[in-house]
């Protein structure tokens, strides 16, 4: 018989998972059956989930993690912070992008640079996971900078999102050759930029997995 103060079970049922995630029981079962959430079956055929696996699942999907689950986990999973560097010499636009993204996701850590030198310093020091880069920076060849970032390990291999006022179609073609699929022309569609940034973090998680 369990005594008062004994530790909680080290596994969760599908119903307990559903309650912790704020969904119905069937949704939790569907997550498990679709292999989105790691689980195992008891001899009686019931699903059981380890706390650490549930914590990883919830954090990757930005589901609020209750303190109860954090307390239960024997080892905490280190989740990479969502870090972004915005590089644009247009101070006003740089600030507008920064403020818009912060409102969309308060947990995002955003850095700003307004010239090529500052961008290089921030890339090395901060190692952002995502980079919004204006190609038309004073005194710098934006495409060469992209190539350098792609080829060097010193910058942490960030996910690059290019923004530019340049209308030369060859510029976009060169970006695609460098493996930069996200190319936005000014004036910018900020909601679309925000969605691309969020997808970049999801892709980073998938690559690490």
């Amino acid at each position: 018989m369990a005594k008062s103060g004994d530790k909680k079970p080290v596994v969760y049922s599908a119903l307990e998972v559903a309650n912790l995630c704020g969904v119905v029981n069937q949704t939790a079962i569907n997550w498990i059956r679709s292999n989105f959430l790691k689980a195992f079956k008891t001899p009686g055929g019931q699903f059981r989930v380890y706390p650490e696996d549930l914590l990883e699942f919830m954090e990757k999907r930005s589901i609020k993690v209750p303190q109860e689950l954090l307390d239960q986990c024997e080892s905490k999973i280190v989740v990479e912070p969502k870090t972004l560097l915005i590089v644009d010499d247009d101070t006003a636009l740089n600030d507008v992008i920064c403020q818009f993204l912060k409102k969309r996701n308060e947990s995002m850590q955003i850095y700003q640079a307004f010239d090529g030198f500052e961008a290089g310093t921030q890339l090395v020091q901060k190692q952002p996971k995502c980079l919004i880069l204006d190609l038309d920076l004073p005194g710098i060849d934006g495409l060469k900078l992209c190539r350098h970032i792609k080829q060097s390990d010193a910058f942490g291999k960030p996910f690059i999102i290019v923004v530019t006022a340049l209308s030369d179609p060859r510029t976009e073609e060169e970006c695609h050759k460098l493996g930069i699929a996200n190319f936005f022309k000014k004036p910018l569609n900020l909601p679309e930029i925000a969605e691309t940034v969020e997808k970049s973090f999801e892709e980073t998680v998938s690559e690490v997995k």
Side-chain angles (χ1 to χ4, degrees):
M1 183 175 180
K3 297 179 182 179
S4 177
D6 281 355
K7 287 186 177 181
K8 296 177 182 178
V10 294
V11 291
Y12 291 113
S13 67
L15 179 58
E16 289 170 327
V17 167
N19 290 336
L20 288 169
C21 294
V23 298
V24 297
N25 188 39
Q26 188 58 49
T27 297
I29 292 174
N30 289 341
W31 285 339
I32 294 170
R33 288 177 174 167
S34 300
N35 295 320
F36 296 140
L37 174 59
K38 294 179 184 177
F40 65 93
K41 279 188 176 182
T42 67
Q46 300 298 311
F47 290 119
R48 293 293 183 267
V49 178
Y50 287 113
E52 292 80 9
D53 291 331
L54 179 57
L55 176 61
E56 181 179 12
F57 172 85
M58 294 177 74
E59 288 184 325
K60 283 182 178 179
R61 286 158 182 79
S62 299
I63 300 173
K64 185 176 180 181
V65 180
Q67 189 61 46
E68 173 188 345
L69 176 57
L70 291 174
D71 292 340
Q72 182 64 60
C73 290
E74 294 179 359
S75 60
K76 302 296 185 292
I77 296 173
V78 178
V79 177
E80 291 287 342
K82 295 181 177 181
T83 52
L84 167 72
L85 173 62
I86 304 170
V87 182
D88 198 316
D89 64 311
D90 184 335
T91 305
L93 179 58
N94 198 319
D95 287 339
V96 166
I97 297 173
C98 179
Q99 292 167 13
F100 184 85
L101 293 176
K102 279 184 177 178
K103 287 181 180 179
R104 287 275 296 235
N105 189 335
E106 294 181 357
S107 67
M108 194 183 303
Q109 198 167 357
I110 303 177
Y111 307 105
Q112 294 174 269
F114 303 94
D115 58 52
F117 176 78
E118 190 178 7
T121 301
Q122 294 264 38
L123 280 166
V124 172
Q125 292 180 349
K126 307 298 185 182
Q127 300 277 303
K129 300 301 178 187
C130 182
L131 170 66
I132 295 178
L133 177 64
D134 177 21
L135 286 185
D136 193 21
L137 293 171
I140 289 184
D141 184 322
L143 287 173
K144 285 185 178 179
L145 180 57
C146 285
R147 187 176 295 108
H148 187 41
I149 293 170
K150 280 282 189 180
Q151 294 175 348
S152 175
D153 293 328
F155 307 110
K157 303 288 187 180
F159 183 98
I160 301 175
I161 299 171
V162 162
V163 297
T164 183
L166 301 174
S167 57
D168 184 357
R170 289 177 298 179
T171 302
E172 184 172 358
E173 184 179 340
E174 286 299 318
C175 284
H176 287 307
K177 286 181 180 178
L178 290 173
I180 302 170
N182 296 281
F183 183 98
F184 295 94
K185 293 181 181 179
K186 297 178 180 179
L188 300 176
N189 181 326
L190 292 180
E192 191 173 359
I193 292 284
E195 289 177 8
T196 304
V197 169
E198 285 297 332
K199 286 180 181 178
S200 79
F201 294 129
E202 292 174 6
E203 289 189 18
T204 300
V205 169
S206 298
E207 289 174 1
V208 171
K209 188 175 180 182

